[in-house]
């Protein structure tokens, strides 16, 4: 055997590489630490500790909604806008257990297909569809929304990431065509950045990171087939060089995290006939398939991190809008290694 322990972390089967210090031989399992490889003489198996993601059901949204947006964390999440039968301005906050509208004011305008980023007490929404494409933006302070600087280009179905003082939006649909323009926000004003690699939409909730280290994943260039393409942003330029593609093409999906620790879940791989429950995580170079959600979800919102993710709303394969919330938790778990 040859290689490093790090080679083994994301392996579920196949030839296992030995660390430079050798594989430990012992009669029990050691303390959990990702990357540790050992041979258990009691059970006669080779084992490795690796991060394994699992989904559980959280508290339900107060209103079933699709095409909304989200931001924040698993224990302090925010859901806003979307379509609950018609476009809505409703905002809900999540505390890790339940969603509430108590003490929460709605957005100024009912909007769907918008994007958002930030935290539960410092969030931002931009663009969207109100019956026409809009360029409006609003910031949230934990109780109320306030209008802020308008986008240079009205758009919906676009992606966004960052904070309320240093944010980015990218791609989307401008009302006549899919676009590949980028805009940066400094807390009051949007300015043009460099274009990304292709014109597409369907990434409303499928970006992660900060202004100087952002990521977008998936989307669609034609409203039917889904991309596996991933692009990274360094605060100036977008690149696909050295960036791993997703294992599954998806759009109308959601995710969260950082440029080097992201999850993506749900969506559709076509025009909506093949909805997805699958999920995957990214470590900065490689995507790894993790456990699937209990049900398919497309046009779904999400936020959080690659180890503590949150997915909410959307619609199922029958087209029914949902209130369901799924929580992603990743834990270090012992897995048996085989060559099958």
């Amino acid at each position: 055997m040859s290689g490093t322990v790090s080679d083994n972390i994301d392996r579920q089967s196949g030839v296992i590489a030995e660390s430079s210090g050798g594989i430990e031989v012992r009669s029990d399992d050691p303390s959990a630490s990702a990357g540790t490889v050992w041979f258990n003489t009691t059970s006669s198996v080779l084992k490795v500790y690796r991060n394994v993601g699992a989904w559980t059901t959280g508290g339900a949204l107060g209103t079933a909604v699709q095409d909304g947006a989200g931001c924040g964390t698993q224990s302090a999440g925010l859901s806003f806008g979307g379509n609950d039968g018609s476009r809505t301005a409703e905002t809900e906050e999540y505390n890790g257990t339940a969603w509430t509208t108590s003490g929460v004011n709605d957005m100024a305008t009912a909007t769907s297909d918008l994007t958002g980023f930030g935290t539960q007490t410092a969030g931002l929404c931009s663009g969207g569809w109100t019956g026409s494409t809009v360029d409006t933006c609003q910031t949230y302070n934990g109780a109320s929304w306030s209008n802020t600087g308008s986008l240079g280009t009205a758009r919906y179905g676009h992606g966004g990431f960052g904070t309320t003082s240093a944010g980015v939006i990218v791609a989307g649909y401008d009302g006549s065509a899919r676009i590949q323009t980028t805009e940066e926000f400094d807390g009051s004003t949007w300015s043009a950045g460099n274009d990304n690699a292709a014109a597409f939409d369907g990434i409303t909730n499928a970006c992660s990171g900060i202004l100087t280290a952002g990521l977008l994943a998936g989307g669609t260039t034609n409203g039917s087939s889904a991309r596996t393409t991933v692009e990274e942003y360094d605060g100036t330029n977008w690149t696909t060089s050295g960036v791993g593609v997703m294992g599954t093409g998806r759009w109308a999906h959601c995710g969260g995290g950082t440029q080097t620790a992201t999850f993506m879940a749900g969506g559709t791989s076509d025009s909506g006939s093949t909805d997805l429950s699958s999920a995957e995580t990214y470590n900065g170079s490689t995507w790894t398939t993790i456990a699937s959600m209990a049900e398919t979800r497309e046009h779904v919102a999400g936020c959080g991190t690659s180890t503590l993710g949150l997915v909410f709303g959307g619609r199922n394969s029958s087209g029914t809008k949902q209130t369901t919330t799924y929580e992603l938790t990743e834990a270090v778990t012992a897995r048996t290694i085989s060559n099958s």
Side-chain angles (χ1 to χ4, degrees):
M1 296 183 181
S2 63
T4 64
V5 171
S6 61
D7 295 330
N8 302 314
I9 295 175
D10 292 323
R11 293 176 186 248
Q12 297 184 46
S13 63
V15 177
I16 302 304
E18 181 183 8
S19 70
S20 58
I23 294 174
E24 185 177 4
V25 178
R26 53 188 298 152
S27 60
D28 59 358
D29 293 343
S31 299
S33 178
T36 299
V37 182
W38 73 101
F39 183 79
N40 187 308
T41 57
T42 302
S43 56
S44 297
V45 293
L46 186 62
K47 305 175 79 173
V48 60
Y49 276 122
R50 64 186 298 270
N51 289 318
V52 177
W55 295 94
T56 56
T57 302
L61 286 166
T63 302
V65 64
Q66 68 175 62
D67 296 313
C71 66
T73 65
Q74 189 183 91
S75 59
L78 192 68
S79 170
F80 43 93
N83 189 315
D84 62 2
S86 59
R87 284 174 291 279
T88 180
E90 187 171 64
T91 302
E92 299 189 39
E93 293 183 349
Y94 192 64
N95 64 5
T97 303
W99 292 93
T100 184
T101 58
S102 178
V104 179
N105 291 303
D106 289 348
M107 297 188 302
T109 304
T111 310
S112 66
D113 301 283
L114 69 171
T115 197
F117 52 79
T119 68
Q120 189 185 76
T121 56
L124 181 145
C125 68
S126 73
W129 178 257
T130 61
S132 60
T133 311
V134 297
D135 62 2
T136 55
C137 297
Q138 300 174 62
T139 55
Y140 184 70
N141 64 5
S144 302
W145 292 92
S146 301
N147 289 325
T148 187
S150 297
L151 300 175
T153 300
R155 63 183 81 196
Y156 65 89
H158 54 301
F161 53 87
T163 69
T164 54
S165 60
V168 177
I169 62 162
V170 60
Y173 195 86
D174 68 0
S176 60
R178 292 176 176 86
I179 57 177
Q180 61 189 102
T181 56
T182 298
E183 298 185 43
E184 296 182 356
F185 187 62
D186 63 6
S188 60
T189 304
W190 292 90
S191 59
N194 290 320
D195 290 355
N196 68 295
F200 61 91
D201 62 354
I203 57 166
T204 298
N205 290 283
C207 292
S208 61
I210 59 176
L211 187 149
T212 55
L215 178 144
L216 65 83
T220 179
T221 60
N222 55 18
S224 56
S225 59
R227 301 173 1 127
T228 59
T229 306
V230 178
E231 299 183 46
E232 292 181 348
Y233 190 64
D234 64 5
T236 303
N237 297 308
W238 291 94
T239 184
T240 58
S241 178
V243 181
V245 298
M246 288 195 296
T248 300
R250 58 184 83 219
W251 66 279
H253 55 305
C254 70
T258 68
Q259 189 184 75
T260 57
T262 287
F263 84 91
M264 293 290 162
T268 180
S269 60
D270 50 34
S271 57
S273 60
T274 309
D275 293 344
L276 303 170
S277 61
S278 62
E280 48 194 306
T281 57
Y282 183 64
N283 64 7
S285 60
T286 304
W287 290 87
T288 301
T289 300
I290 60 173
S292 296
M293 297 181 292
E295 299 176 283
T296 62
R297 287 289 181 273
E298 64 166 315
H299 296 275
V300 64
C303 61
T305 69
S306 63
T307 56
L308 293 171
L310 196 65
V311 173
F312 43 93
R315 70 186 189 206
N316 63 14
S317 56
S318 299
T320 304
K321 298 173 182 65
Q322 301 293 304
T323 61
T324 308
T325 297
Y326 289 113
E327 297 180 356
L328 170 66
T329 303
E330 192 172 76
V332 178
T333 303
R335 305 300 291 269
T336 298
I337 298 168
S338 70
N339 62 357
S340 60

